[in-house]
C-alpha cells in the first residue's frame, strides 16, 4: 500500500510504528495484523515498493532456508499471509506439491513478499523516516517522516506518534577500504554483487572479470558468469580471503544454531565471549551451499572434457592490499597470499565485490534518543532478550530492533528462519499478552551446562546440578 496516513491517524497515537519494510518488519506487520482485538500499527518504507535483493535474483538461485521460513508460518501456520496461502491465491498449490521443492527460488520468495506488501494494510511505501525522538510531554515517541514522490523527491512532511517502535533498517553493501575509490568512479565496472543483475550485460562484455568473495553470492555470480562465457575463453578469476571455498554448515545439529534456544543461550553469554565467538562461526552463515559448489565443479569439469582446462582461476587465502586504475580502462589489484606470504598483482577489466553486508548504523536516525541509550564497552546499543534497546527508565515506550543485534543475539540475527519467532516475541512483549504462544524448547542440543526441568518424559536424562566455581 502507498499514500499518507490521514491527519486523524497521525494525531492518534499508534501502538506500533515500524521503520523499514524488509522481510523482518514485513513479518512483524503480517503477524500484527492477526493480533486479537486489533493493533494500531503503521509501517514506513522509503522505497516505492517492496524490494528484496533485486540485483541477486539470478535465475535458478534458491533460498538457503526452507519455504517454511516465510514471514509467519513458524509462529502462526494458519496465518492468511503464509507462503502456502500465497500459492493458493495463485492457483499454484498443486504444481508446488508435485515440484517437491523444500527450498524455493529467490525470485519466488521476492514475489511472495511483494504479494504480502501489496495486500497487507498499514504499509506506507515512499515514506522516509528522518528522526525518532522521545516526547516526555506526550509520553510517546515522535516519528518525523518525508513523503516522497514517484521520483524519490520530497513531497510533504509528516509526524506521527507511537507507544512503541520497531526498527527494521536492514543492511547495506560492504565495500572494503582499498576498493572504495574504484566503486565511486564509473569508468571501469567495479560493482558490489548487490547490483549484479543491473550490470550483468556490461560484465559479460568485459574481456576479463574478477569476482572477490567466498560466500554464496560470490559463488552464484561466478557460476552465472562461467555459464555465460565461451569455453576456453572464460577469462575469470575468483578470489577469497578464506582458506577454502568452503561449504556452509548444513548438518541438522549444526542448524540448531539458528533456533530460539541458541539465540537465548548466546544472549546470556558475557560480551567478550560473544565478540570472540561470532567471527569463528562464519561457516554457519557465510559458506557456500553444497549444490552451488557442485554446480561450479560440474561446469568446470564439463569444459575440460575435450582437452585443456577452462581459463578460470579460483584462489582462496588471498587479500586485496591495494587497488588502482590502469589507463582508465582497467583495474590493477595488488594481492597477498596469506599462507605463502607472497604478493602479486592482477590486471582485470571488471570486478564484482561479493564482500557481504553490514548492519545499517542506528545513530543518525536515533540521534534524539542518544542521551537515553545504554551502550556496551564497544559503544554498541545494548539489546535485551526481548529485542528492545535498553533505554533510560524515563522512556516508558519500547524500541525494538530487527537484524541489528548480532552482537547480542548471534548468527541467527539475519536468518529468515527466525523472523516469525522474533516478530511473535515482539508482539507478545508489546501487548503484555500471548497472542502467539511460542515453544519452550526448539533444539535437541543443550548449549550450556544449565539446569533443565525434566518434562516427565520416560528416559529423560537427569537434570544437571550446577557446582560452585
Amino acid at each position: 500500500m502507498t499514500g499518507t496516513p490521514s491527519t486523524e491517524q497521525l494525531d492518534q497515537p499508534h501502538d506500533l510504528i515500524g521503520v523499514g519494510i524488509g522481510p523482518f518488519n514485513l513479518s512483524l506487520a503480517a503477524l500484527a495484523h492477526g493480533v486479537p482485538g486489533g493493533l494500531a500499527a503503521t509501517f514506513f518504507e522509503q522505497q516505492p515498493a517492496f524490494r528484496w535483493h533485486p540485483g541477486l535474483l539470478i535465475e535458478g538461485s534458491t533460498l538457503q532456508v526452507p519455504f517454511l521460513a516465510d514471514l509467519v508460518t513458524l509462529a502462526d501456520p494458519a496465518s492468511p499471509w503464509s507462503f502456502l496461502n500465497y500459492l493458493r491465491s495463485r492457483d499454484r498449490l498443486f504444481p508446488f506439491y508435485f515440484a517437491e521443492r523444500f527450498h524455493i527460488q529467490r525470485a519466488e520468495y521476492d514475489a511472495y513478499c511483494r504479494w504480502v506488501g501489496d495486500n497487507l494494510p498499514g504499509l506506507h511505501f515512499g515514506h522516509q523516516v528522518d528522526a525518532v525522538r522521545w516526547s516526555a510531554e506526550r509520553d510517546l515517541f515522535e516519528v518525523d517522516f518525508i513523503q516522497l514522490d514517484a521520483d524519490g523527491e520530497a513531497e510533504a512532511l509528516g509526524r506521527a506518534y507511537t507507544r512503541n517502535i520497531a526498527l527494521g533498517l536492514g543492511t547495506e553493501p560492504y565495500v572494503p577500504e582499498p576498493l572504495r575509490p574504484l566503486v565511486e568512479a564509473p569508468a571501469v565496472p567495479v560493482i558490489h554483487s548487490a547490483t549484479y543483475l543491473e550490470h550483468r550485460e556490461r560484465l559479460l562484455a568485459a574481456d576479463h572479470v574478477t569476482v572477490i568473495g567466498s560466500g554464496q553470492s560470490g559463488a552464484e555470480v561466478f557460476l552465472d558468469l562461467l555459464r555465460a562465457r565461451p569455453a576456453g575463453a572464460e577469462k575469470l578469476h575468483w578470489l577469497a580471503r578464506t582458506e577454502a571455498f568452503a561449504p556452509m554448515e548444513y548438518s541438522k545439529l549444526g542448524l540448531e544454531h539458528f533456533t530460539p534456544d541458541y539465540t537465548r543461550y548466546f544472549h546470556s553469554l558475557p560480551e567478550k565471549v560473544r565478540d570472540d565467538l561470532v567471527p569463528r562461526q562464519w561457516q554457519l552463515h557465510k559458506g557456500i551451499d553444497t549444490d552451488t559448489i557442485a554446480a561450479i565443479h560440474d561446469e568446470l569439469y564439463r569444459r575440460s572434457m575435450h582437452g585443456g582446462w577452462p581459463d578460470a582461476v579460483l584462489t582462496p587465502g588471498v587479500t586485496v592490499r591495494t587497488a588502482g586504475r590502469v589507463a582508465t580502462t582497467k583495474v590493477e589489484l595488488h594481492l597477498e597470499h596469506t599462507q605463502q606470504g607472497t604478493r602479486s598483482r592482477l590486471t582485470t577489466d571488471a570486478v564484482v565485490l561479493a564482500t557481504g553486508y553490514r548492519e545499517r548504523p542506528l545513530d543518525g536516525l536515533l540521534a534524539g534518543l542518544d542521551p537515553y541509550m545504554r551502550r556496551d564497552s564497544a559503544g554498541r546499543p545494548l539489546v535485551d532478550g526481548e529485542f528492545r534497546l535498553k533505554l533510560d527508565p524515563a522512556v516508558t515506550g519500547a524500541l525494538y530492533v530487527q537484524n541489528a543485534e548480532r552482537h547480542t543475539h548471534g548468527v541467527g540475527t539475519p536468518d529468515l528462519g527466525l523472523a516469525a519467532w522474533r516478530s511473535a516475541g515482539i508482539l507478545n512483549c508489546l501487548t503484555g499478552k500471548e497472542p502467539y504462544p511460542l515453544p519452550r524448547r526448539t533444539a535437541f542440543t543443550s548449549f550450556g551446562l544449565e539446569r533443565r526441568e525434566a518434562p516427565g518424559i520416560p528416559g529423560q536424562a537427569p537434570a544437571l546440578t550446577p557446582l560452585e566455581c
Side-chain angles (χ1 to χ4, degrees):
M1 296 180 63
T2 58
T4 305
S6 68
T7 304
E8 181 181 353
Q9 288 175 312
L10 293 178
D11 289 342
Q12 295 299 316
H14 292 74
D15 296 315
L16 173 66
I17 285 181
V19 181
I21 306 178
F24 297 132
N25 259 359
L26 190 59
S27 165
L28 183 62
L31 289 172
H33 183 251
V35 170
L39 198 67
T42 290
F43 289 75
F44 296 126
E45 165 60 50
Q46 68 180 19
Q47 295 294 332
F50 182 89
R51 302 177 68 198
W52 186 73
H53 297 299
L56 281 170
L57 300 181
I58 300 170
E59 185 176 354
S61 62
T62 61
L63 291 182
Q64 268 61 66
V65 291
F67 74 90
L68 291 172
D70 63 11
L71 301 173
V72 293
T73 294
L74 290 175
D76 182 11
S79 169
W81 305 109
S82 69
F83 175 72
L84 289 180
N85 199 44
Y86 160 72
L87 293 176
R88 180 175 177 270
S89 74
R90 295 291 190 268
D91 288 335
R92 295 183 57 230
L93 266 178
F94 272 92
F96 180 74
Y97 167 57
F98 291 119
E100 296 183 341
R101 287 180 179 168
F102 203 47
H103 292 81
I104 61 175
Q105 293 194 15
R106 282 191 193 153
E108 188 166 30
Y109 178 79
D110 176 64
Y112 154 64
C113 287
R114 284 189 283 111
W115 169 77
V116 176
D118 289 343
N119 292 282
L120 186 67
L123 307 184
H124 301 281
F125 294 94
H127 286 67
Q128 176 183 310
V129 173
D130 277 348
V132 173
R133 294 180 299 276
W134 176 250
S135 171
E137 295 79 12
R138 291 176 177 259
D139 207 27
L140 295 168
F141 289 106
E142 294 178 348
V143 178
D144 289 346
F145 63 87
I146 302 172
Q147 184 181 354
L148 308 175
D149 62 20
D151 297 321
E153 299 296 327
E155 190 173 62
L157 302 178
R159 176 174 292 173
Y161 300 93
T162 182
R163 299 176 184 87
N164 304 281
I165 289 178
L167 296 180
L169 303 184
T171 56
E172 57 189 5
Y174 170 71
V175 176
E177 187 65 39
L179 291 154
R180 288 179 188 173
L182 301 182
V183 172
E184 296 166 359
V188 180
V190 179
I191 61 113
H192 193 276
S193 58
T195 61
Y196 170 69
L197 288 183
E198 179 183 339
H199 298 276
R200 184 174 184 269
E201 294 306 315
R202 190 179 178 196
L203 292 167
L204 290 177
D207 185 55
H208 181 277
V209 182
T210 299
V211 179
I212 300 175
S214 62
Q216 183 67 20
S217 296
E220 290 177 353
V221 167
F222 178 79
L223 177 59
D224 187 61
L225 291 171
L226 179 64
R227 286 171 168 168
R229 296 170 81 87
E234 294 84 1
K235 296 186 178 180
L236 294 172
H237 263 72
W238 184 16
L239 308 175
R241 286 188 309 166
T242 54
E243 297 178 354
F245 295 104
M248 191 177 298
E249 169 58 65
Y250 211 74
S251 66
K252 289 180 172 59
L253 289 179
L255 288 175
E256 289 195 339
H257 287 83
F258 300 95
T259 58
D261 279 11
Y262 183 76
T263 301
R264 287 187 288 261
Y265 162 77
F266 184 91
H267 186 268
S268 71
L269 295 173
E271 178 187 333
K272 185 181 185 307
V273 176
R274 295 197 303 256
D275 287 346
D276 291 343
L277 189 54
V278 169
R280 301 205 308 268
Q281 295 178 321
W282 67 270
Q283 208 166 337
L284 288 170
H285 60 108
K286 291 186 178 181
I288 306 169
D289 173 72
T290 53
D291 289 341
T292 306
I293 293 177
I296 290 172
H297 191 275
D298 289 348
E299 184 65 24
L300 292 169
Y301 179 76
R302 184 184 70 80
R303 290 167 181 252
S304 72
M305 289 196 304
H306 301 294
W309 290 72
D311 186 10
V313 180
L314 292 73
T315 309
V318 172
T319 59
V320 178
R321 297 177 53 249
T322 59
R325 296 191 180 277
V326 179
T328 72
T329 61
K330 294 181 181 295
V331 170
E332 185 175 87
L333 304 173
H334 290 224
L335 310 176
E336 181 172 1
H337 195 282
T338 307
Q339 294 178 349
Q340 288 181 326
T342 55
R343 295 180 177 181
S344 64
R345 61 186 178 187
L346 170 66
T347 302
T348 186
D349 297 285
V351 179
V352 181
L353 301 172
T355 46
Y357 299 80
R358 295 293 186 271
E359 296 171 358
R360 283 194 172 92
L362 305 177
D363 291 344
L365 182 65
L366 303 181
L369 289 172
D370 187 66
Y372 300 101
M373 293 178 63
R374 300 292 182 257
R375 300 179 182 273
D376 64 13
S377 64
R380 299 166 298 193
L382 290 172
V383 186
D384 71 13
E386 307 297 334
F387 303 98
R388 295 172 296 194
L389 291 185
K390 290 189 176 182
L391 303 173
D392 188 277
V395 180
T396 58
L399 203 162
Y400 300 91
V401 291
Q402 303 223 57
N403 198 9
E405 71 282 1
R406 186 178 304 192
H407 61 292
T408 56
H409 286 73
V411 293
T413 294
D415 189 75
L416 294 175
L418 285 173
W421 169 77
R422 178 170 53 199
S423 295
I426 289 173
L427 291 170
N428 289 350
C429 177
L430 184 154
T431 61
K433 302 176 183 177
E434 197 175 30
Y436 295 105
L438 296 174
R440 294 180 58 193
R441 184 173 181 181
T442 55
F444 291 109
T445 306
S446 296
F447 294 100
L449 293 178
E450 58 187 10
R451 185 192 302 272
R452 189 187 292 277
E453 294 182 9
I457 301 175
Q460 171 78 17
L464 295 171
T465 302
L467 300 176
E468 294 295 332
C469 294

